[in-house]
Amino acid sequence: MTDLPKRIQIHEEGPREGFQIEPGPIATADKVRFCEALAGTGLRDVQCVSFVDPRRVPGMADAVDVAQSIRRRPDVAFSAIALNLRGYERAIQTPLHIAGDLQMSASNTFSIRNTNKDNAETLVEQRRQLEFFRDRRIPVESAIVMTAFGCNFEGTIAPETVRDCVASLLALAEDFGITLDRVRLADTVGWASPASIERVVGMVRDRFPSLRLALHLHDTRGTGLANALTGLRMGIDSFDSSCAGFGGCPFAGHKGAAGNICTEDLVFMCEEMGIETGIDLDALIECARLAEDIVGHPLPGKIMHGGSLTKYRNHQGPGA
């Protein structure tokens, strides 16, 4: 099945995804500088911070300061995530774009590691969060199923399990009169392959043919872009990604856990395939280099080192 989209939507997670896992302290001003630079590339959604327990994720201890310091732009949503009501209470006190996001994990063990709640407890918590969103008129835009392609604690995840998680989240949203814009399937710990993307996306599509799906892909084992390409060929038009391939999951149970697929690498691939992104690739490459300067060590993105093809295509050879 080949059904390439004409244009994709990219949800940039580099600042949150990256700074949450860096071992050393990163200056708040540098985090703000990176977020603002990303906003100048054509990206429309930049996830800046997460409102989580700083004892578990020290890199997010200054989340409120970052949120308060970013200069707003009318064309960019600076966003954040939270894992529980305590986090959302903090988040809504800031100027960031806060939207509700339903979530659960296909792996019960990962759910406990990530939020200290199993899946049954998570669904109870989701109801409380939906009441919170409703009472404060916070829009609920999407849902995410984590560890949708495998788990370091539970191993292979059956596609039927993912389908059933999607069904649970859709039913919950329906109980509150909510129609979700999309459901994101997350390869949280980097197990996915093109074959498993086909199986899981196909299984969910068979049950919910009109549901818009998005992919949240990590590149732990080097298959991230191949998985994105498979998703594109199945008509997926929404992706989470991370500038410079920055980041990783602190609860993955694997010290080699990598960040999301690299934004500029994804943009390059799509543009070469004739799929529009609306993003200035050369400006994005500069952001990736800025990220490396801030953290002081190499980051895994490829295009940031190889460069775009712009100058080569514009080169006029002898006799031209």
Side-chain angles (χ1 to χ4, degrees):
M1 174 181 173
T2 300
D3 188 20
L4 290 174
K6 294 180 179 179
R7 185 182 180 92
I8 64 166
Q9 178 185 46
I10 292 179
H11 176 59
E12 171 60 43
E13 298 194 345
R16 190 274 304 169
E17 177 79 19
F19 294 131
Q20 76 176 5
I21 205 165
E22 282 297 311
I26 304 295
T28 298
D30 283 336
K31 295 179 182 180
V32 171
R33 186 158 56 107
F34 184 45
C35 291
E36 292 179 347
L38 287 166
T41 66
L43 286 163
R44 292 292 176 260
D45 187 353
V46 178
Q47 190 178 91
C48 305
V49 296
S50 58
F51 292 94
V52 292
D53 187 341
R55 293 170 298 181
R56 301 187 74 203
V57 188
M60 290 292 109
D62 62 347
V64 171
D65 291 337
V66 172
Q68 298 286 4
S69 301
I70 294 171
R71 289 173 293 180
R72 299 295 171 267
R73 292 177 56 125
D75 57 338
V76 178
F78 291 108
S79 61
I81 63 169
L83 299 181
N84 52 39
L85 287 176
R86 185 178 304 164
Y88 278 111
E89 288 279 11
R90 293 173 62 208
I92 63 173
Q93 302 302 316
T94 73
L96 296 182
H97 172 74
I98 304 301
D101 186 34
L102 297 179
Q103 58 188 7
M104 69 182 302
S105 175
S107 161
N108 201 54
T109 306
F110 180 83
S111 181
I112 294 168
R113 296 282 186 123
N114 192 44
T115 64
N116 289 322
K117 291 180 174 60
D118 64 21
N119 282 340
E121 293 169 323
T122 294
L123 286 173
V124 173
E125 173 73 7
Q126 297 297 285
R127 284 191 173 276
R128 294 176 57 212
Q129 289 185 14
L130 283 169
E131 291 168 357
F132 177 90
F133 300 148
R134 181 189 59 201
D135 293 346
R136 290 157 181 80
R137 298 185 178 180
I138 297 170
V140 179
E141 298 176 348
S142 67
I144 185 169
V145 178
M146 295 173 282
T147 59
F149 302 93
C151 173
N152 291 337
F153 307 110
E154 294 190 5
T156 301
I157 299 293
E160 292 84 356
T161 300
V162 181
R163 177 201 60 199
D164 293 346
C165 288
V166 172
S168 294
L169 291 172
L170 290 175
L172 186 56
E174 186 177 359
D175 285 349
F176 282 78
I178 294 168
T179 300
L180 297 171
D181 174 68
R182 65 196 182 281
V183 173
R184 295 148 61 215
L185 304 177
D187 183 27
T188 313
V189 293
W191 272 57
S193 68
S196 63
I197 295 288
E198 288 182 347
R199 285 193 299 269
V200 174
V201 170
M203 175 69 71
V204 176
R205 280 254 178 86
D206 285 346
R207 176 67 178 83
F208 305 103
S210 63
L211 178 64
R212 185 187 184 198
L213 297 177
L215 289 174
H216 174 104
L217 302 169
H218 285 247
D219 199 32
T220 303
R221 292 172 175 85
T223 59
L225 273 188
N227 296 336
L229 177 59
T230 302
L232 288 167
R233 292 192 180 280
M234 297 183 77
I236 300 291
D237 67 352
S238 178
F239 293 85
D240 298 342
S241 62
S242 179
C243 181
F246 200 10
C249 177
F251 309 117
H254 186 311
K255 65 180 180 180
N260 290 353
I261 54 173
C262 176
T263 308
E264 62 272 17
D265 294 0
L266 176 64
V267 168
F268 174 79
M269 182 178 76
C270 287
E271 296 286 353
E272 290 295 304
M273 295 171 66
I275 301 170
E276 297 178 6
T277 65
I279 294 172
D280 182 334
L281 179 57
D282 290 307
L284 193 58
I285 288 170
E286 290 306 310
C287 289
R289 292 171 179 162
L290 171 61
E292 275 200 342
D293 288 343
I294 289 172
V295 299
H297 62 78
L299 293 171
K302 300 295 190 297
I303 298 299
M304 63 187 292
H305 299 296
S308 73
L309 295 176
T310 303
K311 67 178 180 180
Y312 300 104
R313 288 202 169 109
N314 292 338
H315 177 67
Q316 300 294 313

